[in-house]
Structures are given as C-alpha cells and as structure tokens.
Amino acid sequence: MSIAIVGAGVIGRGWVAHLVARGHDVTVYDPHTEAGVVHEAVAEAAPALHALGFDEAGFGRVEVVDDLAAAVAGATWVQESGPETASVKAAVMAALDELADPAVPIASSTSGITPTELGALCPRAPERVLVGHPFNPVYLVPLVEVVGGRATSPAVVEQALEFYRAVGKRPVHVRQEVPGHLANRLQAALWREAYSLVERGVASVADIDTAIAHGPGLRWALLGPLVNQHLSGGAGGLRHILEHLGPPTQMWMDSLGAPQLTPALADLLVAGVDDELAGIDQHELRRQRDELLVRLLLAKSDADALP
C-alpha cells in the first residue's frame, strides 16, 4: 500500500512512524520540513515501536519529496495533516483535489474543521473527502475518529474504517458533524470543569492532575466512562447506578462551571503546570509516558474481555 502524508508537523510525522512500522511505503510532502526531520522522527519513535513488536527490518520505505504532485502520484490513500490555518488548509485541499486520483480518499487529520467544509474545498470529487482525526502520539495511541461530511460517500466512510483497522488503528465512526468531533469534546468537558475549579480556587492544577491520573484516569485507560459506571453498579449495573446516584449526579452536572478562557485564567493554568513540573525533565517525562503507554498497550492486547 502506498500512502501519501501531506504535512509533516507533529501529527504528520507521527503518521509516518506508525505506518512505516507496519510495512507501508510512505511519501511525505511538506514545504516547510526537511527530510532529515522526518527520518529523525521515525528514529525517535523506533524504540517504542520495537517494544510493541515491530522489527525495523520490516519497516516500509519513507520518501520525502518537494512536489505535491509527486507525493500523491500512485498513492492509494492520502492523509492530510497540514496546519489548521484556514487559508493554508484551503490551498492544500484544493491542490489535493486537483492532483490526486478522484478515486483515492483524502482524509484530513484536522481536529476542528468539519468534513463538509473540507469537501467544499474539493469540487472535483468532494465525495472522497472526510476526516480521519488521530491522537498524539499517533504511533502509539490507537484511536482515529472517522467523520463524513454531507458530500462524503458512505462507501468512502466504510473504506476509511477498513483502512484504519488494516493499519493497526482503532477507528470510531462519528455519525454527525459537531465541533471537535468526539473525543476532544469529551476532553473539553473535563478541561472546562478543571479550569473552573482552578479559577474558583477549589483545587490546584497539581491536585486536579493527581485526582485524574491516580483516580478515574487509571480505569479510563482500560474501559470507557460508561462501562466503568456500569461496573460500579455491581449486579444491577448501569441501571442501578443511574437510579441510585442519578439525582446527585444531575445536581453535580447542574453545578459545573462555565469559565471563560481569559488571559488571566490562562496565566493561572500555565503557572500551575509550571509549578507542578518544576525540576522535572520534560524529555524524560515524555519518554516515560511513551514507555508506560507501550506496556499498557501490550497488556491490553492480552486481555480478551475488554470491549
């Protein structure tokens, strides 16, 4: 399978590392990124990929080109991962629409632009345009959100789901276009209350991170929030929890904050993170995060009762 990666920022480079580890040939185009940076990103991801069982001898080929037409020539899949700037995205999508074979899907890694907006930028073949939004680090986190627009062919959505499964991802089909797709909306709900609690002085940034990382976050890494709720209900499951704790839960939801991300609040949050990470080497922090993610992924792969 020949795959074109258009845009070699953090997400694009993550896609490259993920795909070549699984034996796929990848052609990369980014006018602002040198070839060495792309190859270096693959090398940096290699220890984690090796730990997951991918032998470098089986890695696919990476070619970095300086021409978009060359990048998409012969590609069977195009993964667009350019900047979220509207003008840049418009130019890139229009060029892809013109240069890529009309039968080849164009999936965007965008976290905020809807597939209908993207499809409107591709009048030649809008039916092959959709969102395939991954999560960082792309070469470790399996989730991809697949979102079709008003013009997207249902067959292309199914093709996308099959493609991402085939390359080792765990895709979910987001059936309606909403800002932020799915997982970012769930994250935003948590961020909103976290920001509010800091703003109101209820808890420090470090306390909030501790509460999640050493509390429900441990369970969420294994099962989603709704199945975790179900297990909390014992034999009665989710129905018992909703009947028993429904009224207080509704009260908690009604009392959640609605902060505005003002410069003052941003400064408060940044200062809190700086305090929390004082004396911690952030390169080592990322390395240990990735190492533990690998261990978790390997452990989860051996579990046969997790959905």
Side-chain angles (χ1 to χ4, degrees):
M1 184 182 295
S2 179
I3 302 167
I5 302 295
V6 179
V10 171
I11 296 300
R13 296 195 299 269
W15 272 120
V16 174
H18 177 84
L19 293 165
V20 297
R22 286 153 178 82
H24 301 290
D25 293 336
V26 179
T27 305
V28 185
Y29 170 77
D30 188 321
H32 305 295
T33 303
E34 296 180 357
V37 175
V38 176
H39 291 289
E40 186 177 302
V42 175
E44 288 179 353
L49 293 166
H50 294 162
L52 286 172
F54 296 101
D55 185 347
E56 199 153 347
F59 277 25
R61 178 181 56 85
V62 181
E63 181 181 8
V64 182
V65 299
D66 59 6
D67 179 68
L68 183 58
V72 300
T76 54
W77 186 271
V78 175
Q79 187 74 38
E80 183 276 323
S81 300
E84 293 286 270
T85 307
S87 59
V88 174
K89 190 73 76 180
V92 170
M93 293 300 294
L96 286 173
D97 187 47
E98 180 63 29
L99 296 170
D101 187 308
V104 174
I106 299 174
S108 176
S109 299
T110 180
S111 58
I113 303 174
T114 69
T116 292
E117 292 174 297
L118 295 171
L121 302 170
C122 302
R124 181 178 178 223
E127 69 280 357
R128 46 87 173 261
V129 177
L130 73 165
V131 165
H133 176 240
F135 283 77
N136 188 47
V138 177
Y139 54 88
L140 289 181
V141 179
L143 179 64
V144 176
E145 298 170 328
V146 174
V147 195
R150 285 196 290 270
T152 308
S153 164
V156 171
V157 171
E158 287 302 317
Q159 185 179 352
L161 293 168
E162 291 174 7
F163 168 79
Y164 290 123
R165 290 188 194 106
V167 300
K169 286 295 188 181
R170 184 71 179 264
V172 294
H173 181 197
V174 183
R175 292 164 174 79
Q176 294 183 27
E177 295 177 276
V178 290
H181 314 319
L182 175 60
N184 274 338
R185 291 180 67 88
L186 295 170
Q187 290 190 120
L190 180 57
W191 292 332
R192 185 175 89 164
E193 185 58 14
Y195 297 168
S196 175
L197 292 170
V198 170
E199 186 176 46
R200 289 184 281 160
V202 175
S204 69
V205 167
D207 288 338
I208 289 169
D209 281 338
T210 297
I212 296 300
H214 296 273
L218 291 171
R219 298 185 307 210
W220 292 343
L222 304 174
L223 296 167
L226 300 179
V227 170
N228 268 304
Q229 250 194 324
H230 172 73
L231 292 181
S232 297
L238 181 60
R239 183 168 300 281
H240 170 72
I241 282 290
L242 294 178
E243 291 173 350
H244 180 62
L245 292 179
T249 299
Q250 186 64 57
M251 182 185 68
W252 303 337
M253 292 191 295
D254 290 343
S255 70
L256 294 175
Q260 295 299 304
L261 198 49
T262 62
L265 177 53
D267 288 345
L268 192 62
L269 295 166
V270 171
V273 169
D274 288 343
D275 288 344
E276 183 180 1
L277 298 182
I280 296 176
D281 182 290
Q282 293 198 43
H283 177 78
E284 182 64 12
L285 179 66
R286 283 190 293 270
R287 188 195 68 77
Q288 290 189 18
R289 177 203 65 184
D290 286 3
E291 180 182 302
L292 289 168
L293 275 173
V294 167
R295 293 185 197 175
L296 179 60
L297 289 166
L298 289 172
K300 288 182 70 170
S301 69
D302 291 334
D304 60 6
L306 299 183

